[in-house]
Structure formats: C-alpha cells, structure tokens
Amino acid sequence: MNIIQLDENVSLTRDLESGTEKQQDSVQAIIRKVREKGDQGLKDLTEMYDGVQLDELFVSEEEYAEAYKDFDDRSLDALQRAIGNIRSFHKKQIRQSWMTTEEDGTMLGQKITPLDYAGVYVPGGKAAYPSTIMMNVIPAQTAGVRNIIMTSPPNQDGKLTPAVLVTAAELGVTHILKAGGAQAVAALAYGTESVPRVDKITGPGNIYVALAKRAVFGQVDIDMIAGPSEIVVLADDSTRPDYAAADLLSQAEHDEMSSAVMVTTSRTIAEKTKAEVETQLADLPRKEIAEASIKNHGAIYVADSLDEAVEAVNELAPEHLELLIQDPHALLGKIRHAGAIFLGSNSSEPVGDYMAGPNHVLPTNGTARFSSPLSVDDFTKKSSIISYSEQAFLQEADDIAAIARMEGLEAHARAVEIRGKGEK
Amino acid sequence: MNIIQLDENVSLTRDLESGTEKQQDSVQAIIRKVREKGDQGLKDLTEMYDGVQLDELFVSEEEYAEAYKDFDDRSLDALQRAIGNIRSFHKKQIRQSWMTTEEDGTMLGQKITPLDYAGVYVPGGKAAYPSTIMMNVIPAQTAGVRNIIMTSPPNQDGKLTPAVLVTAAELGVTHILKAGGAQAVAALAYGTESVPRVDKITGPGNIYVALAKRAVFGQVDIDMIAGPSEIVVLADDSTRPDYAAADLLSQAEHDEMSSAVMVTTSRTIAEKTKAEVETQLADLPRKEIAEASIKNHGAIYVADSLDEAVEAVNELAPEHLELLIQDPHALLGKIRHAGAIFLGSNSSEPVGDYMAGPNHVLPTNGTARFSSPLSVDDFTKKSSIISYSEQAFLQEADDIAAIARMEGLEAHARAVEIRGKGEK
C-alpha cells in the first residue's frame, strides 16, 4: 500500500468499465433471443450459461420450505433484526403527494405513485448475498410496489442457495425467477409468457448484467450501473490504525477491483495503518483478493491540512466514506459528494452494509457527484397536477398565447384562444 | 383520424427509437474527437455541422445586450410572468436533509446536496424554445446548482436567437456554449479546456443528441431520453369537441412523430371531435406537420365505460393527459401513469407548457410508467448518514458479524470484532 503525498498532480479518478465489443455483441444477441423466443429462449440460455435444464422457471413453494430446513436460527435472528432496521429507515423516506390551492380555485401539485412492477437482480454463486436482497426489495416494498420479481441464476442442480430463499421468504417475495446474466435482464425488460415486463430493474451483477441493463435503459428504468466498490477512510492523528486497517480490508476483500483508500493528515497514522493492513491481511480467508485490491487500487494519501484532505474526498466522491476522526460531526457540512458517510469509530462500514438501516446500494466510482443511495424514491414516480380555474386561465391566456407565438406554435396559441368562445 | 372501438386486441404501445448503426457510429466518433481534441475538436465539429467558424465558444456580454434590442416588451412581460410561476412551483419541491436521533446517541439520516455542475442542452434553429430554457434551468437553480452551463448550436452567423439569449439572461444564466449535437453533449460530459465537465445533462434534442446522452450516461447523469411528444385527451359526453380538437392539434403541430389521442366514452363526441380536427387543421401554419402526425399517430378510441377508458389511459402512460370530463377530480385517484395531468376545460395543455409552473419536461412514450417530470430532485443527490453510538454498536455487533460470515466475508466480521479490543 503506497503512501503518497497529496499535491495537484495526483490523479484520483478511474475510468468506467464499458465492456469489450465482443461482450456487447453477445449481450445484444442474448436480448434478441429472449425477445424472440420468450420462456424457451430463457431456458436455452440458462442451459448454455448455467449448465442446467430447467422445467420450471420459478422457485416453487416446496423449495422455499426446504430452504428453511437448511438454515440455522442464529442466522435467521440476525436477518430478522437487519430487516427490521432497514424497513424502519426506509419508511422514513416515504413522501406524500402534495397540492397547493389558490383562492381562485386553481390547484397545482405532484401526485406520487409507486411503480407497478419492479425487478430485482441477485447475483448467484458465492456472491449470493442476503443483504443484496434486503437492500433492493425493501425500498420497493416500502414504496408500495405490488409486484416484485426477483431473479437469480440457479446452480447446476437448478437450485438457489438457502440463504437467498430464506431472505426472500422473510421479506415476502413470492416470485423468484431462476435466471441470471443478460438473459434475466432481457426477460424482465421485455417480458415473456411467464415473466411480466417490469418498470425498473435494480441490483448488481457482472459485466454482462451491467451491459444488459444499459442496453434496456429507456425501455425500463434501471438503477445506476454499479462499478467496483470503494471506501475512503479519512483519518487524523486520533485514528486507531487497527480499526482503519480492518475497515480498508473489509472493502478490499470484495473484489480485486475494489478500492480502499485512506486520506490522512498524519504521516504517523499513515505508516501505522500501512503496517496494520499487512498484519491483518496475513490470515484473511480472502487474502488473495484483498491483497490484489490493496496492491492495485489501495493508497494512503497524506494531506497537509484537514481542508486539503476534505477536498480530496470530494474529488474522489467515494461510495463509502468513513470520518474516522476526532470530531466527525463538525466536518459533515463540508462533505459534498459521498454515497454513505460513516461518522466516528463505532460506525464501521459493515454496520451500514448489513444492519443500520440506510441502503447499501450506493453510487460507485465517483458517481456520488450526481447519484444517490437506492431509496424509496427510486420505486415511485411523480405526475404533475394542473387544475386551472377560469379566473386564472383568463388572467394568463394572453401571456400563454404570446409565448406560444414566440415559439412559432400557432396551434398552441389557438388552443388557448378558443376557450371562452361560445360553442358552435 | 380513425375512430377505433377499444378491445383487447388494440395495441397501444410504440417502440423506442434507437438510431441506426451509422448514427451510433457517427456519435461515437464525435465523442472521441471532442475527448481527444477538446476546444479545437468542438470548433471543427461546429464548422462541419453548423457551417460556422467560431473564434469564441461562449456567448459574450455584448451578444446578451444586443439580444434585448431585438426583443419586444410584450414578450418580455410574458416570459417574466412564466418565470415567476415556474420558480414558485419548483420552490415547493425543495427537500431538506433529515436526521433521526436515538436515545443511545445513534444518528441516521439523509443529507441532500445540489449537484456542483449542470449542463442544459437547448436545440437550435426554429425549435429554439424559450420555454425549454426556463423548464431546464429553473429546477437546477432552485436545487442550488451553482454552475449551469447552457449549450445551443449557433446559426450560420455564429449567433443564437434573441429569444434564447433574453430568456437565459432573465434567468441569470451566464455561461452559454455555442455548440450543438453530440459534440455539445461530449464537451459537457468530459470537459474541454474551456468547458467544465458537468455532473448531469438535461434537455431535448434530435436523435444525435439522444444517442450521445445515452452514450455518456454513467460518466454523467442524464434526464430521460426524450421520445416524440404525446397527448391523451379523456372525454365523456360533456366534452367540447372544439376544445378537444384544439388541444389535440397543439400536440400534433410539434412534430410528425407526435401522437395525439382521444379516449372517450361517447361515440358522438368522437365523431364531432374528428370533424373539428379536420376543420381546425385547414388553416394552421404548421398544417403539414400536424396533418402527418394526426394521420400516422392520431386516433380516437371509444370505450364502453369510464373504467375501460381509464385502463387504456394507464396502459398508454401518456406524457400529457387531459381529463376533459364532467368531474375530473373524482378520477384523479385512478390515474396511475401520466407525466402531467390536466384537469378540466380551463387546463389546456399549453397552460402547462408555458405558464402554470409545473415542469413541461415530461416522460414520453409510455415511460411515465417509471419516470417523472423534471424536478428539483433531479439536480440534487442524497448521502446516507450513519453515526452509531457505542451502545448500539455493541448490541448489534454479533448480528452484523453473523451476516458477514453468512456471505463469506470474514474481513467484514473482523472489522466489527476488532472494535472494543484494547489498542496494541
């Protein structure tokens, strides 16, 4: 892990992965196949990519029941507590439709309605994370989405893992499609005989899933294209290097592409943290992944002042930001761009990943500049309400016609001027 | 204009325009050129596509002053009234950051911050609409965006129209780039020597602009890809056919691809409206465009009941919906998908296009199923706040570690368990 003195020449940004041409072509071909062949296309592609022939595309009641048998009570307790906390936080995000009323009778407002259908992609294999399901399903449910279709690739026995099935069951998800990759995204976006077309697809996935989501964007809505995960730990001379190192490694173990970065005002803490990272790495089960991540994308930047450090943080616009400093609350106002901000030494990133309540689906790779954690808002949409009174209409009719004519749109002007004239 | 009896076999959806391969390649080449050559690339492309050699890429103070000389007071009054109404409605959308505090000291919340930079695309030529500028700039300003870069293609004299310049000046927009097409989008997305990289690009444009926005999505945020504009007029036997026809035509005159549709419970009103459309078409300045739109994309659907009519409306998920019926307010709760809902006979679509206050940038082509009018929300983003107390942390530490291990992420579990141990 390199220690780098911050100055103007240090580049803090990374490019977005956009896939090779071959990958893009392959995704286009998969989407076409699902659109043309529907359920059969989906089954063929699942056989080809997941190596299993499915009779039934959806998880059965028996499979749900079976999953509970293979799941221990301790884990169930933990999931239930997490579900409770996450529901509680997301309920606070619910917004109401609103309306203004003028004395003349005019009403203006915004009507907020949930989406009809949401699709949640859950990766398969070892990365089949219960937390992914909770964090994507709960905001949709809280928004009031009535139809949630979850999709996840089956293993070679045509099954999903007990942890995935139990988490879904605890949340009340009743429709789980056994499909992964671009084919699952295509089925959700366009619908098949048995899969309803959804309005929005969320959830993480590999490059094929990301490319498919980008390709169907517009046909349906999607969440952001997820890049590799990142953490930035902001440290001063009060920071415990062992905490900082542990938090950096919890990010690094995700993926070799993950990025774990410290920005600190203290060279001593920088050096101690570097040493701690090496010590703690030694006996991690996912040591190889974490080591590669730290080596290629890890860094410790030393800043001359807290202001310079904050500037670097805003430029990085990190997915996760830990303010592991003496007085984190005093600094909050200066943080302009970050997906989630963790304040103080008890707010280790895993607290937010699993338990605290806020969503762990966060803008990656600098996109916190313009995007937000997944939320209830993402599963609702607004309609403007315009109810004009005759009085208001007559008062503004001339101005409306004037602007219409400024734009050369005569029919717009006439639609206003025909009002108030007697019926022929 | 065909009158069609609604039944299960009537298809109400249209496909999204995705551009030809040649158009897509051309857009990719333009983006590459701007990324590689910066300002000079932008100037070269402007010479190629707009036929003008520019010395200065940005509008000068003199050009602003000049524009006012060519602009009449009547039009200025109308613009100022519209600006006032639009600002007033958008101010009501401003949301506050929020925080919950637990007795044990834990704080959770959402911090809302404006984007740093917004880019607004304004089409050139005859479609240089002052209303486009107001509707894109005002939500960004209301959100608190400090840097707004507007861009619009220059005419062959290297100028923008007085209406565009005056509207921008009235709004306080000080940075106007003279560029259009995919090159303008590329400059905003990646930045050049003189154009700052923005965080989000909004505004309508032709197919090249739409493809460029899609291509840079992820690098920056974009609003939805705008399709052709639509109106659905819901009518019963109380509807005035002349009003309905005028409103349908105000949509049809936009573009040959525009769609103007009536859904009605009354065959008599259907027939009278059809006749009125023909009469009113006769002397419209944009008759050819409106006629083509009505012929190819216009229709009058007759429903057996108001419920069936509402179902068709929800399936269409129209950009603009007029409830031109006896009791529009009673029906509002049943409308699930529409960009803007106009209630009653005084709420003609142009009222909302220019004056009422709600945004006229609306989800087109059925995307009201999942997207919303442009709003202040679109120019802000959220950060989650997680500040855990020691008490809350200790209470949940075991559950957090349990879920981490369920997911096979040992470093996550250890980041939790290292807390509370004495420093080495």
Side-chain angles (χ1 to χ4, degrees):
Chain A
M1 204 168 196
N2 288 328
I3 299 179
I4 302 160
Q5 182 69 40
L6 268 182
D7 65 41
E8 284 169 14
N9 300 316
V10 173
S11 164
L12 300 171
T13 54
R14 283 206 280 172
D15 266 356
L16 201 73
E17 195 183 12
S18 59
T20 63
E21 210 161 310
K22 199 177 152 196
Q23 287 169 329
Q24 293 188 7
D25 289 347
S26 153
V27 163
Q28 289 298 343
I30 291 170
I31 293 174
R32 266 197 309 277
K33 177 148 187 179
V34 174
R35 289 187 73 176
E36 282 163 17
K37 307 221 162 149
D39 283 349
Q40 193 54 51
L42 209 45
K43 285 179 183 173
D44 292 349
L45 289 159
T46 300
E47 189 174 351
M48 187 185 309
Y49 291 109
D50 302 300
V52 57
Q53 263 189 308
L54 294 178
D55 292 326
E56 277 300 320
L57 282 170
F58 284 89
V59 169
S60 68
E61 299 246 350
E62 292 70 41
E63 287 175 290
Y64 277 111
E66 192 75 24
Y68 274 90
K69 289 185 203 151
D70 299 329
F71 202 74
D72 67 286
D73 288 349
R74 177 72 198 80
S75 298
L76 191 58
D77 277 354
L79 283 184
Q80 285 170 343
R81 187 194 279 255
I83 290 171
N85 284 357
I86 299 164
R87 281 208 200 287
S88 160
F89 186 80
H90 284 78
K91 269 189 196 149
K92 299 200 174 80
Q93 297 175 350
I94 297 175
R95 294 164 74 187
Q96 305 302 324
S97 301
W98 56 269
M99 192 84 88
T100 63
T101 53
E102 304 293 326
E103 274 193 41
D104 66 16
T106 289
M107 290 164 65
L108 300 174
Q110 276 185 347
K111 180 176 193 277
I112 297 179
T113 37
L115 307 188
D116 283 348
Y117 289 86
V120 172
Y121 189 93
V122 177
K126 285 193 183 166
Y129 295 155
S131 58
T132 305
I133 305 172
M134 299 189 282
M135 292 296 187
N136 282 276
V137 167
I138 290 173
Q141 289 178 327
T142 309
V145 177
R146 289 204 196 145
N147 308 286
I148 297 175
I149 321 294
M150 199 175 109
T151 189
S152 193
N155 63 23
Q156 296 204 336
D157 303 325
K159 303 275 180 199
L160 302 181
T161 66
V164 163
L165 292 175
V166 168
T167 308
E170 287 295 314
L171 291 166
V173 174
T174 52
H175 284 71
I176 308 183
L177 178 65
K178 293 178 181 173
Q183 58 272 26
V185 173
L188 292 172
Y190 292 99
T192 67
E193 303 92 304
S194 70
V195 183
R197 175 187 79 161
V198 305
D199 300 310
K200 179 159 192 164
I201 302 173
T202 68
N206 61 20
I207 184 71
Y208 293 96
V209 172
L211 290 174
K213 281 166 67 182
R214 180 185 281 271
V216 301
F217 172 56
Q219 165 70 22
V220 297
D221 197 14
I222 59 169
D223 56 352
M224 261 286 153
I225 310 284
S229 203
E230 320 134 13
I231 192 173
V232 170
V233 175
L234 183 67
D236 57 17
D237 50 21
S238 79
T239 306
R240 281 218 6 201
D242 54 342
Y243 291 7
D247 293 353
L248 290 168
L249 286 170
S250 78
Q251 193 57 49
E253 78 170 337
H254 269 296
D255 186 328
E256 294 181 4
M257 291 295 293
S258 283
S259 146
V261 166
M262 171 179 268
V263 180
T264 179
T265 51
S266 160
R267 186 162 281 270
T268 314
I269 296 297
E271 277 157 10
K272 284 189 182 168
T273 302
K274 178 182 159 85
E276 265 292 333
V277 165
E278 277 156 27
T279 310
Q280 293 184 24
L281 245 179
D283 67 338
L284 272 187
R286 294 167 69 92
K287 183 185 168 194
E288 275 177 41
I289 293 170
E291 201 161 26
S293 154
I294 292 287
K295 183 162 171 258
N296 298 321
H297 305 291
I300 300 179
Y301 296 107
V302 180
D304 285 334
S305 66
L306 205 52
D307 277 350
E308 190 190 28
V310 167
E311 207 174 299
V313 165
N314 280 324
E315 197 178 331
L316 284 160
E319 183 187 9
H320 307 92
L321 171 64
E322 287 189 3
L323 303 181
L324 214 50
I325 55 175
Q326 185 78 42
D327 189 2
H329 296 86
L331 212 65
L332 190 54
K334 290 193 177 164
I335 305 300
R336 289 206 316 283
H337 312 302
I341 307 170
F342 297 77
L343 290 86
S345 65
N346 295 303
S347 308
S348 173
E349 195 204 300
V351 171
D353 287 343
Y354 298 129
M355 192 53 72
N359 211 288
H360 82 188
V361 180
L362 298 168
T364 57
N365 205 26
T367 57
R369 283 192 294 126
F370 50 77
S371 51
S372 302
L374 193 68
S375 76
V376 169
D377 286 349
D378 292 303
F379 295 96
T380 64
K381 68 307 194 280
K382 293 163 261 186
S383 302
S384 299
I385 309 293
I386 299 172
S387 177
Y388 248 48
S389 67
E390 192 177 4
Q391 191 184 330
F393 175 79
L394 292 175
Q395 216 161 50
E396 297 181 348
D398 288 351
D399 283 335
I400 299 170
I403 302 182
R405 294 206 166 97
M406 205 184 306
E407 299 194 342
L409 295 174
E410 178 67 20
H412 282 63
R414 292 188 190 174
V416 171
E417 288 168 354
I418 201 172
R419 258 92 180 161
K421 290 186 187 160
E423 196 164 5
K424 277 172 281 187
Chain B
M1 204 167 193
N2 288 327
I3 299 180
I4 302 160
Q5 183 68 41
L6 269 182
D7 64 39
E8 285 169 13
N9 300 317
V10 174
S11 165
L12 299 172
T13 52
R14 285 205 279 173
D15 266 356
L16 201 73
E17 194 183 14
S18 59
T20 64
E21 210 161 311
K22 199 177 152 199
Q23 287 170 330
Q24 294 188 6
D25 289 347
S26 153
V27 163
Q28 289 296 343
I30 290 170
I31 293 174
R32 266 198 309 277
K33 178 147 186 181
V34 174
R35 289 188 72 175
E36 282 163 15
K37 306 221 162 148
D39 283 348
Q40 193 54 51
L42 208 46
K43 285 181 184 172
D44 291 349
L45 289 159
T46 300
E47 189 174 351
M48 187 184 311
Y49 291 109
D50 302 299
V52 57
Q53 261 189 310
L54 293 178
D55 292 325
E56 277 299 320
L57 281 170
F58 284 88
V59 169
S60 68
E61 300 247 350
E62 292 71 39
E63 286 174 289
Y64 277 111
E66 192 75 25
Y68 274 91
K69 289 187 204 150
D70 300 329
F71 202 72
D72 66 287
D73 287 350
R74 176 72 198 81
S75 298
L76 191 58
D77 277 354
L79 283 183
Q80 285 171 342
R81 188 194 279 253
I83 290 171
N85 284 356
I86 299 164
R87 280 210 200 284
S88 159
F89 186 80
H90 284 78
K91 269 188 197 152
K92 301 201 173 81
Q93 298 175 348
I94 297 175
R95 295 165 72 188
Q96 305 301 325
S97 302
W98 57 268
M99 193 85 90
T100 63
T101 54
E102 303 293 325
E103 273 192 41
D104 65 17
T106 290
M107 291 163 65
L108 300 174
Q110 276 184 347
K111 180 177 192 281
I112 298 179
T113 37
L115 307 187
D116 284 348
Y117 288 86
V120 172
Y121 188 93
V122 177
K126 286 193 185 167
Y129 295 155
S131 59
T132 305
I133 305 172
M134 299 189 283
M135 293 296 186
N136 282 276
V137 167
I138 290 174
Q141 289 178 327
T142 309
V145 177
R146 289 205 195 144
N147 308 286
I148 298 175
I149 320 293
M150 200 175 109
T151 189
S152 193
N155 62 23
Q156 297 204 335
D157 303 323
K159 303 275 179 197
L160 302 181
T161 66
V164 163
L165 293 176
V166 168
T167 309
E170 287 295 313
L171 291 166
V173 174
T174 52
H175 284 72
I176 308 183
L177 178 65
K178 293 178 182 175
Q183 57 272 26
V185 173
L188 292 172
Y190 293 99
T192 68
E193 303 92 306
S194 70
V195 183
R197 175 187 79 162
V198 304
D199 300 311
K200 179 160 192 163
I201 302 172
T202 68
N206 62 18
I207 184 71
Y208 293 96
V209 172
L211 290 174
K213 280 166 69 181
R214 180 185 282 270
V216 301
F217 172 57
Q219 166 69 21
V220 297
D221 197 14
I222 60 169
D223 57 353
M224 261 285 152
I225 309 284
S229 203
E230 319 134 12
I231 191 173
V232 170
V233 175
L234 183 67
D236 58 15
D237 50 19
S238 79
T239 305
R240 280 212 16 195
D242 54 343
Y243 291 8
D247 293 354
L248 291 168
L249 287 170
S250 79
Q251 193 58 49
E253 78 169 339
H254 268 296
D255 186 327
E256 294 181 6
M257 291 294 292
S258 284
S259 145
V261 166
M262 171 178 268
V263 180
T264 179
T265 51
S266 161
R267 186 162 281 271
T268 314
I269 295 298
E271 278 156 10
K272 284 189 182 167
T273 303
K274 179 183 158 85
E276 266 291 335
V277 165
E278 277 155 28
T279 311
Q280 292 184 25
L281 245 180
D283 66 339
L284 273 187
R286 293 167 69 93
K287 184 186 166 193
E288 275 178 40
I289 293 170
E291 200 162 26
S293 155
I294 292 286
K295 183 162 173 257
N296 297 322
H297 307 291
I300 300 179
Y301 296 107
V302 179
D304 285 334
S305 65
L306 206 52
D307 278 350
E308 190 190 29
V310 167
E311 207 173 300
V313 165
N314 280 324
E315 198 179 330
L316 284 160
E319 184 188 10
H320 307 92
L321 172 64
E322 287 189 2
L323 303 181
L324 214 51
I325 56 176
Q326 185 76 44
D327 190 2
H329 296 85
L331 211 66
L332 189 54
K334 290 193 176 164
I335 305 300
R336 290 206 315 284
H337 312 302
I341 308 169
F342 297 78
L343 290 86
S345 64
N346 295 303
S347 309
S348 173
E349 196 204 299
V351 171
D353 287 344
Y354 298 129
M355 191 54 70
N359 211 287
H360 82 189
V361 180
L362 297 167
T364 56
N365 204 25
T367 57
R369 283 192 294 124
F370 50 76
S371 50
S372 302
L374 193 68
S375 75
V376 170
D377 286 349
D378 291 303
F379 295 96
T380 64
K381 64 324 192 268
K382 293 164 260 186
S383 302
S384 299
I385 308 293
I386 299 171
S387 177
Y388 247 49
S389 67
E390 191 176 4
Q391 192 185 330
F393 175 79
L394 292 174
Q395 216 162 51
E396 298 182 347
D398 288 351
D399 283 335
I400 299 170
I403 302 181
R405 294 205 166 97
M406 206 185 304
E407 299 194 342
L409 295 174
E410 178 66 20
H412 282 63
R414 292 188 190 174
V416 171
E417 288 168 354
I418 201 171
R419 258 93 179 161
K421 290 185 186 158
E423 195 164 5
K424 277 173 282 187

